[in-house]
Amino acid sequence: MNNINNQSLLGVLCEPGEQTLAVANPATGAVLGYIPVCSEAEITAAIARSHLAQGTWQRLPAKERAQLMQGWYELLMANQADLARLMTLEQGKPLAESMAEVAYGAAFIQWFAEEGKRALGTTIPAHTQDRRLVTIKQPVGVVAAITPWNFPIAMITRKAGPALAAGCSIIIKPANQTPLCAYAVVELARQAGIPDDVLQVVIHHSPEVVGDIFTHHPDIKKLSFTGSTKVGGHLLAQCAGTVKNTSMELGGNAPFIVFDDADIELAVQGALAAKFRNGGQTCVCANRFYIHDTIYDQFVPRFIAGVKALKVGNGLEPDVQIGPMIDAAAKERVIAGVRQAQKQGAVIAAGGGDLAGCFVEPTVLVDVHQTMDFIQNELFGPVAPILRFNNDELLIAQANDTIYGLAAFFYSRDINRIWTVAEALDYGMVGINEGIISTELAPFGGVKQSGFGREGGCEGLDEYLETKYLCFGGIGRG
Ligand code: SIN
């Protein structure tokens, strides 16, 4: 493959055949290469190896696990340019965004390497003289992770980092659109000395088959999933049979609100970042814009000018800011959403043109109303619908009027309003005068049908730990 210096990252590639999967470049449609797919028996065997490896990994002192993880972090960063190129080739995002994602993804490994040393228990003042009460933290056991194509490295490291740090072994099923990044980062883990069976990748032609095996297998103790609410609900139901520990990072429908006292220029820059990162294919992307009546005519023309200036194209070309949608079906869904909104009365104020291949022109829609289908559903594309408001209370009700509760954004300079709105928004994360909120340092996750569990921050480690209570009796009996 062109211009990947470290060929060891491509060790998974094979000749085409029946038991292989073709990986395509969404910008050109060209096949990048073929990788072998696992049989069901091979997936089950991988779980058995993971189960065996778990005990040894768990017994390793946290400090030794941290040293291995730090080595992995360093290799990820040393290979940042190659990994970013690979990501742009198979996922489509602009190279600058891929570079940023490799650093973002690697940061989870570094953060959790350190955080694993702080899996602290407690001592509890006892209720009788002869007892001592303590808690210890222990790994949940073998973890299965199902990760999406939109952040093909960071969504893996955000799960593998805390799992490994906690002392769990982990098996990852990446999206079938972006397996090369998954295999590449796991190859670097091997080179850093993380044992093969502690961190594995499996791929199958049918993601449902892997989901079935993961959710029903008694040796999988935890499932961590990032993807749609529909699939997450289905996996959750399947996990009920073996009562698995689960974390679900599901869909979003983020409101982006600009109040009349906002810094307009800051809000425009935040809106462009929050909407168009990864071409709008991000769970926390701004999905609907609520602009106060009195500043509507200041905000909207500036925002439209910013949208019109965005350069669309192959992410490997310099200055491109919007790459392709992940595949033709994804593009079709976005275009169909725009057409439906037009039928319901929305007007195109920018973009809306028909581009070749998997590309979608960044688009702004005005005359949009709360009841349109568009406003209720996650768009996952570079389309920005704009609504007006003039009443804070009604606005909060509209912003919360969704089954989702992942992220919300708002712009205001009034401290009283800032606290009131931040507390009233029914979301797991709120950006206040900021359009990009993701970092390994803070807990990422949603409420309502956006799921549960947190990734990143000290909360992220807890997802992979169980608390065990120890009660010591007979103290002082000599
Ligand atoms: C996501 O789309 O779920 C991840 C986005 C992020 O980590 O910022």
Side-chain angles (χ1 to χ4, degrees):
M1 199 175 307
N2 282 351
N3 295 329
I4 302 291
N5 294 313
N6 183 349
Q7 286 292 310
S8 75
L9 301 181
L10 300 174
V12 66
L13 289 177
C14 65
E15 293 300 317
E18 239 179 56
Q19 286 312 308
T20 63
L21 181 78
V23 184
N25 179 342
T28 62
V31 172
L32 295 165
Y34 295 84
I35 62 162
V37 295
C38 305
S39 65
E40 292 174 40
E42 283 168 335
I43 297 170
T44 309
I47 296 173
R49 286 197 303 277
S50 203
H51 182 62
L52 271 180
Q54 161 74 38
T56 316
W57 182 251
Q58 164 172 1
R59 283 190 293 277
L60 215 59
K63 192 170 175 178
E64 284 179 39
R65 290 199 296 265
Q67 278 158 354
L68 292 169
M69 290 176 68
Q70 176 65 22
W72 186 19
Y73 163 77
E74 281 161 19
L75 283 177
L76 289 168
M77 290 311 291
N79 287 276
Q80 185 181 17
D82 273 350
L83 290 169
R85 202 173 168 81
L86 194 58
M87 191 184 301
T88 294
L89 284 168
E90 75 170 347
Q91 199 275 344
K93 66 177 66 180
L95 201 51
E97 286 197 39
S98 295
M99 287 291 282
E101 184 184 334
V102 176
Y104 173 48
F108 285 103
I109 303 304
Q110 189 185 42
W111 162 264
F112 282 110
E114 285 303 311
E115 200 57 15
K117 299 175 193 168
R118 290 182 276 276
L120 305 178
T122 56
T123 54
I124 303 163
H127 50 299
T128 63
Q129 278 188 8
D130 63 343
R131 285 182 227 187
R132 298 294 180 269
L133 317 182
V134 299
T135 64
I136 58 170
K137 296 283 177 92
Q138 291 184 303
V140 291
V142 178
V143 174
I146 301 181
T147 59
W149 49 261
N150 62 343
F151 287 82
I153 288 183
M155 297 305 100
I156 288 176
T157 54
R158 194 154 86 176
K159 298 180 192 307
L164 295 177
C168 301
S169 56
I170 177 167
I171 308 181
I172 295 151
K173 191 215 80 68
N176 280 9
Q177 292 94 330
T178 55
L180 297 182
C181 280
Y183 279 104
V185 294
V186 168
E187 166 58 26
L188 292 173
R190 301 227 187 305
Q191 291 178 16
I194 293 175
D196 292 9
D197 294 342
V198 165
L199 174 66
Q200 301 183 73
V201 178
V202 295
I203 276 281
H204 190 277
H205 281 303
S206 159
E208 289 79 13
V209 166
V210 188
D212 275 358
I213 297 174
F214 280 176
T215 52
H216 291 111
H217 201 295
D219 286 343
I220 297 286
K221 295 293 188 257
K222 175 172 183 105
L223 178 76
S224 177
F225 172 70
T226 296
S228 72
T229 294
K230 187 171 166 211
V231 174
H234 184 67
L235 292 168
L236 257 182
Q238 295 193 159
C239 282
T242 45
V243 195
K244 290 194 199 313
N245 180 322
T246 52
S247 298
M248 294 279 148
E249 203 266 270
L250 308 177
N253 180 5
F256 188 105
I257 303 159
V258 186
F259 287 100
D260 50 355
D261 61 353
D263 176 332
I264 303 290
E265 204 41 58
L266 193 67
V268 169
Q269 292 316 315
L272 291 168
K275 175 70 250 180
F276 294 103
R277 175 175 175 232
N278 200 16
Q281 303 174 107
T282 305
C283 300
V284 288
C285 262
N287 203 53
R288 49 208 166 107
F289 292 80
Y290 295 90
I291 313 299
H292 196 280
D293 250 345
T294 58
I295 46 107
Y296 188 90
D297 292 336
Q298 295 171 57
F299 176 89
V300 174
R302 285 179 168 85
F303 180 63
I304 287 176
V307 173
K308 285 186 171 161
L310 292 171
K311 188 172 167 194
V312 181
N314 185 329
L316 290 181
E317 286 165 19
D319 304 331
V320 161
Q321 291 153 297
I322 306 286
M325 298 294 94
I326 188 67
D327 52 29
K331 173 183 175 170
E332 205 32 62
R333 264 194 306 278
V334 176
I335 300 290
V338 173
R339 301 285 170 259
Q340 170 74 356
Q342 282 181 290
K343 273 194 205 140
Q344 294 177 325
V347 171
I348 292 182
D354 196 5
L355 302 181
C358 291
F359 294 94
V360 172
E361 193 175 18
T363 298
V364 179
L365 292 168
V366 293
D367 290 350
V368 174
H369 301 290
Q370 183 72 13
T371 51
M372 289 179 179
D373 300 348
F374 218 46
I375 294 304
Q376 295 300 330
N377 301 315
E378 193 176 25
L379 295 170
F380 240 58
V383 180
I386 302 189
L387 301 90
R388 287 172 180 266
F389 75 94
N390 57 20
N391 174 309
D392 282 20
E393 244 174 72
L394 192 58
L395 175 269
I396 295 295
Q398 289 185 330
N400 286 340
D401 174 25
T402 168
I403 59 165
Y404 298 105
L406 190 59
F409 305 87
F410 73 91
Y411 280 67
S412 167
R413 284 182 285 201
D414 176 330
I415 190 66
N416 183 27
R417 181 184 250 163
I418 285 175
W419 273 105
T420 310
V421 174
E423 287 174 2
L425 285 170
D426 213 355
Y427 290 83
M429 298 173 281
V430 181
I432 302 156
N433 298 321
E434 180 54 63
I436 299 288
I437 56 177
S438 307
T439 159
E440 78 282 7
L441 307 172
F444 186 107
V447 298
K448 296 159 73 179
Q449 291 188 38
S450 289
F452 49 82
R454 294 292 179 267
E455 297 189 306
C458 43
E459 292 85 349
L461 188 69
D462 268 343
E463 298 285 324
Y464 296 87
L465 292 167
E466 300 280 16
T467 298
K468 185 180 279 179
Y469 157 52
L470 307 179
C471 177
F472 296 80
I475 306 288
R477 283 172 58 87

